[in-house]
Amino acid sequence: MLSEIFVEPFVLMADIPDLLLQTIWEGFVAGTLYALIALGFVLIFKASGVFNFAQGIMVVFAALTLVGLYANGVPAWLALIITIGVMAILAISIERVVLRPLVGQNEAILLMATIGLSLFVRGVGETLFGGETKTMITSELGLPTGITDWNVFDGRVTFQHIDIAAVVIAVLMVAGLAVFFSKTRIGRALRAVADDHQAALSVGISLHQIWAIVWFASGVVALVTGIMWGARSDVSFALEVIALKALAVLILGGFTSIPGAIVGGLIIGIGEKLFEVYWGGLLGGGTEAWFAYVLALIFLLFRPQGLFGERIIERV
Amino acid sequence: MKFRSLAIALAATAITAGGLAATAQAQEHYIPNLSYRTGPYAGGGIPFANGFGDYFTMLNERDGGIGGVPVRVEECETGYNSQKGIECYEATKGNNPLVYTPLSTGITLGIIPQTTQAKTPILSMGYGLSAAGIGETFPYTFTYPTSYWNQMSSILKYIDANGGLEGKKIGYIYLDAGYGKEPIPVLEALSEQMGFEWVGFPVAGKDMQNQGSQWLNVRKERPDWMIMWGWGAMNATAVKEAIKTRFPLDRFIGNWWAGANADLDPVGPDGKGYLSANFSGIGTDFPALKDVQKYVVDAGKSQADADKVGDVLYNRGLYNAVIIAEAIRVAQEMTGKKELTGADMKIGLENIKLDGARLEELGLAGFAGDLIGSCKDHEGGSPVFIQQWNGTEWERKTDPIEPMLEITRPLLEDAAAGYIADKPDWKGQTCS
């Protein structure tokens, strides 16, 4: 038994190094996509303290809107622009209808409001687009398709071009958000709101405007995530539940840290793949279903603020 | 005085409404359809529900129902969620339902005890509890035309006939739920008897579009063949991952829920060669389907898009309706009653005879294998055939492949005995 845990997996890694590289790459891509989903959560949590339970369905809704518009004859790039517009309208509506009446309410009430929001958005999505699985318009958007093999260690590592594109776009998006937060007036206002609502209000920053902007930014992140995940598999309502894995990412990385979301996503993505491939068989397989949450639980026990979260100081 | 008048008015209303309800129930065949048009599995649930409903609508429009009594299909949305499915059962059980079609193994397992007690049949067509095929133990549950266990035996027969099974390694990728786990006992038993090794790759429902790990394990284990018990978005994702892993698609066989147009349309030409089992016809080249198009689809009474009529899952749902309609006819003949109960329906299902001649009369010649019901055999033991994706549509690849009944029947009997072992009050039946 000890040999199966401490020796054989490493022997296998040495015996089939291309499989190890492939596993790390697959984990890296999955981790990047988890990080993108988590990024949507972080943006909203930073600005408003709301854990947006609807982030997963926003990913599905954005992707469905895009493919739905295209299916109805709208050219791909125009459909993309209209979808961004739809996410903007959704953000403004959420701020007006859901958040504004609940200003100052307990966090639990805001969480419940986002659960209600997720049910509403799911219902609207199913009514407008139906429940069938849709195919993402990958090549129509100019995204690469196809596969490249890297022959190495007497084996091969396979790279899907869409995976490479997902990583590149995720890096660009994070860099763009970092510049936005640090260099623009709105970005600085957003950070001020995140630090202290009352102080931000006192210097004339509009909370309503900031919330609408941050929900819109989160909607755009959801759209990008939906495109990338939809291109790897398909667009269906099953994508919504994958988004729940971002909860574990947030616990690892911290609810308010963008670098934390990225590092947390990568740790979970790579960790769950390595664990399933090299140790999963000992537990009957299917460990990916719980690995992220167990890891998050361990972090909660020893570092509840996450890797990059602000240290929790309680005065007694 | 006012209170007295109000009470009389309420009483009168209640009596009238009750009378109307009773009349309505007496003039229809009521069939609750526990369907799912929403949620992660809607891609499979929608075409199935459309085919199911459209056939009964066609019978109502063309023939005025069955035996002069119209059929009322009432859909109850389950979202493929067992808890919601049981709620649907509770909500509809008081309306004199003739039969339940849960379209979910989890829901089927959840309501078998209640429906058995209520004497209302379940027809879990090719899914559900395989052991329910033992009629003496499960008098009110049917898996016609076959079960997961026998389907697995037919698939293994196909593999055996295409290169042999002995000494081979079979990979089994499955939805990690009651449905996907159901055929594992027969896989274990047959692996010993037929001399092959098998390795399982469970896919959690919430990770069905995130199968990277499972296919890395496939690459590690290097199976000779892959068999899939998938559903919903899991199927297309698995085929795409198989392509990426370079697993030969003509050695990858899905079960009959992993071989629909909805599964391979998103994959397109890249999926050419992928195989799956099936037991119902493909396409619209059947007189009965022409009638469905004429009386239902063209008349705007269907929820299906016209180009989806004849798809694999549409036809599967239609075949489910055909079996029920035929059982209603048989029950009417045998009981001499026009309006039926669940207990009457059991008689119809146990005496059903949907052979080639009868299928031809129904306008469905060659649509499915023979289905001969009996008190003892609630499973049917019908053959399945293998179909292959040609890049744009499914093509029938084999003749019907008979299941290994001599092996599976004793296993089913053992499983049925195991099911009731801890249920001392369970009521089976005696068959002559």
Side-chain angles (χ1 to χ4, degrees):
Chain A
M1 183 66 180
L2 286 175
S3 163
E4 287 177 322
I5 298 171
F6 295 110
V7 180
E8 288 175 22
F10 298 101
V11 172
L12 185 63
M13 287 178 196
D15 279 352
I16 320 176
D18 59 313
L19 179 67
L20 176 63
L21 288 177
Q22 186 77 60
T23 305
I24 292 169
W25 169 248
E26 292 289 332
F28 182 72
V29 175
T32 305
L33 292 171
Y34 295 156
L36 269 182
I37 300 171
L39 198 59
F41 283 99
V42 168
L43 286 174
I44 290 172
F45 193 83
K46 264 174 88 80
S48 56
V50 176
F51 180 79
N52 178 25
F53 197 82
Q55 188 65 29
I57 195 63
M58 281 170 64
V59 170
V60 179
F61 184 78
L64 278 176
T65 305
L66 177 63
V67 295
L69 286 167
Y70 181 78
N72 282 291
V74 180
W77 281 99
L78 184 57
L80 184 67
I81 292 163
I82 295 174
T83 305
I84 292 170
V86 168
M87 297 316 284
I89 293 167
L90 186 67
I92 293 164
S93 306
I94 289 168
E95 192 279 315
R96 284 282 165 89
V97 179
V98 182
L99 296 180
R100 198 175 287 189
L102 295 176
V103 168
Q105 294 291 333
N106 188 292
E107 286 171 6
I109 290 173
L110 292 165
L111 171 67
M112 295 302 286
T114 64
I115 292 173
L117 178 67
S118 73
L119 295 172
F120 177 77
V121 174
R122 188 187 308 148
V124 171
E126 283 174 340
T127 305
L128 290 176
F129 306 110
E132 295 96 340
T133 302
K134 313 280 191 306
T135 306
M136 179 46 69
I137 48 173
T138 312
S139 51
E140 291 83 350
L141 287 170
L143 292 168
T145 54
I147 290 172
T148 296
D149 282 341
W150 176 33
N151 294 315
V152 62
F153 298 127
D154 292 330
R156 66 178 158 78
V157 180
T158 302
F159 298 95
Q160 274 191 304
H161 297 173
I162 189 66
D163 289 349
I164 298 169
V167 172
V168 171
I169 289 171
V171 168
L172 290 176
M173 175 154 264
V174 171
L177 283 170
V179 170
F180 176 75
F181 282 128
S182 58
K183 303 290 180 192
T184 67
R185 190 173 155 271
I186 293 173
R188 283 195 292 273
L190 199 148
R191 283 164 61 202
V193 169
D195 283 343
D196 191 327
H197 284 189
Q198 298 297 334
L201 275 172
S202 70
V203 295
I205 295 171
S206 165
L207 270 185
H208 303 311
Q209 192 187 32
I210 292 297
W211 282 349
I213 289 169
V214 87
W215 275 79
F216 171 60
S218 182
V220 172
V221 172
L223 174 61
V224 173
T225 313
I227 291 171
M228 290 304 158
W229 213 295
R232 293 188 91 215
S233 53
D234 288 303
V235 183
S236 86
F237 283 88
L239 285 179
E240 183 187 356
V241 281
I242 295 177
L244 289 179
K245 209 165 266 184
L247 181 61
V249 173
L250 293 169
I251 292 171
L252 249 73
F255 278 71
T256 54
S257 167
I258 290 176
I262 296 159
V263 174
L266 294 178
I267 288 175
I268 284 186
I270 296 172
E272 69 179 11
K273 295 281 185 288
L274 285 172
F275 190 80
E276 170 65 22
V277 172
Y278 294 100
W279 287 274
L282 297 172
L283 298 162
T287 59
E288 222 173 355
W290 52 260
F291 176 85
Y293 306 106
V294 171
L295 196 62
L297 198 64
I298 293 167
F299 261 76
L300 275 178
L301 286 173
F302 296 104
R303 194 176 166 83
Q305 72 270 34
L307 286 171
F308 297 85
E310 291 155 15
R311 190 172 175 78
I312 300 166
I313 300 168
E314 287 187 20
R315 292 187 175 85
V316 290
Chain B
M1 184 63 190
K2 266 188 177 176
F3 175 77
R4 193 171 165 228
S5 304
L6 183 65
I8 291 168
L10 281 173
T13 307
I15 291 164
T16 311
L20 282 174
T23 309
Q25 280 184 13
Q27 291 178 341
E28 67 186 16
H29 298 303
Y30 173 66
I31 299 171
N33 182 16
L34 276 50
S35 60
Y36 37 95
R37 293 179 180 273
T38 64
Y41 301 92
I46 290 170
F48 191 96
N50 287 340
F52 187 85
D54 285 359
Y55 186 74
F56 285 119
T57 307
M58 185 274 283
L59 292 181
N60 285 342
E61 296 295 318
R62 189 189 67 184
D63 307 334
I66 304 170
V69 179
V71 180
R72 180 163 72 93
V73 175
E74 184 177 46
E75 287 195 26
C76 184
E77 175 67 35
T78 70
Y80 197 64
N81 177 307
S82 298
Q83 189 182 334
K84 284 186 187 171
I86 292 166
E87 286 170 11
C88 282
Y89 168 73
E90 292 294 332
T92 54
K93 68 181 183 183
N95 299 338
N96 187 32
L98 294 191
V99 61
Y100 277 93
T101 54
L103 197 55
S104 152
T105 294
I107 298 171
T108 306
L109 295 173
I111 65 173
I112 281 175
Q114 293 96 313
T115 52
T116 303
Q117 198 170 16
K119 297 188 175 178
T120 307
I122 294 175
L123 174 57
S124 52
M125 189 188 71
Y127 58 88
L129 181 69
S130 297
I134 307 301
E136 290 102 327
T137 308
F138 295 93
Y140 284 91
T141 310
F142 299 78
T143 66
Y144 295 156
T146 180
S147 66
Y148 285 141
W149 288 20
N150 273 333
Q151 176 184 202
M152 178 60 89
S153 75
S154 294
I155 290 172
L156 291 172
K157 248 181 156 176
Y158 172 81
I159 294 173
D160 201 26
N162 286 273
L165 259 173
E166 197 169 357
K168 296 279 168 60
K169 186 188 267 191
I170 305 296
Y172 176 57
I173 187 164
Y174 60 99
L175 187 65
D176 197 7
Y179 153 65
K181 292 174 186 168
E182 178 64 21
I184 288 177
V186 81
L187 197 54
E188 282 175 344
L190 288 176
S191 67
E192 285 177 18
Q193 294 185 31
M194 301 176 82
F196 64 88
E197 182 190 351
W198 78 277
V199 56
F201 306 105
V203 178
K206 61 176 178 286
D207 275 323
M208 64 184 177
Q209 285 190 262
N210 185 22
Q211 296 178 33
S213 298
Q214 286 78 9
W215 287 90
L216 286 164
N217 274 330
V218 169
R219 190 168 153 180
K220 183 179 78 177
E221 296 289 344
R222 298 172 189 270
D224 298 290
W225 289 77
M226 284 293 291
I227 297 173
M228 173 160 66
W229 246 244
W231 189 221
M234 173 181 162
N235 296 335
T237 305
V239 178
K240 286 181 177 180
E241 289 285 348
I243 294 165
K244 193 173 84 178
T245 312
R246 310 282 166 79
F247 191 87
L249 292 184
D250 58 357
R251 285 176 169 255
F252 186 14
I253 309 180
N255 75 341
W256 54 56
W257 300 120
N261 296 69
D263 299 323
L264 268 293
D265 281 342
V267 186
D270 293 343
K272 188 176 178 182
Y274 170 74
L275 304 162
S276 90
N278 194 355
F279 58 72
S280 49
I282 310 166
T284 56
D285 199 14
F286 302 93
L289 271 140
K290 299 287 181 205
D291 282 349
V292 169
Q293 287 176 316
K294 178 181 168 188
Y295 290 99
V296 186
V297 182
D298 295 346
K301 293 176 179 169
S302 172
Q303 291 192 60
D305 292 335
D307 63 337
K308 300 291 181 194
V309 175
D311 278 4
V312 171
L313 284 178
Y314 182 94
N315 282 7
R316 186 85 44 78
L318 184 138
Y319 184 48
N320 198 154
V322 168
I323 295 172
I324 290 173
E326 188 64 7
I328 291 173
R329 285 192 194 96
V330 173
Q332 285 176 324
E333 277 176 27
M334 295 191 70
T335 62
K337 291 155 64 178
K338 273 191 164 186
E339 294 114 31
L340 304 171
T341 63
D344 299 327
M345 191 65 181
K346 169 182 176 286
I347 296 170
L349 283 162
E350 287 187 339
N351 291 280
I352 197 168
K353 189 182 172 195
L354 260 175
D355 57 8
R358 181 60 185 147
L359 282 171
E360 190 164 0
E361 284 173 20
L362 293 173
L364 291 164
F367 191 81
D370 289 357
L371 170 59
I372 314 294
S374 75
C375 171
K376 282 186 176 179
D377 180 13
H378 281 198
E379 195 240 4
S382 293
V384 301
F385 63 88
I386 301 295
Q387 59 183 9
Q388 189 164 37
W389 182 251
N390 70 6
T392 52
E393 60 188 353
W394 290 102
E395 286 176 352
R396 191 168 171 149
K397 183 176 170 67
T398 70
D399 289 330
I401 302 169
E402 297 293 335
M404 302 181 201
L405 291 173
E406 70 286 358
I407 293 173
T408 54
R409 184 76 189 178
L411 292 172
L412 290 170
E413 285 169 355
D414 287 348
Y419 182 90
I420 60 168
D422 59 349
K423 300 176 182 68
D425 298 330
W426 186 265
K427 286 198 174 97
Q429 65 175 345
T430 306
C431 298
S432 53

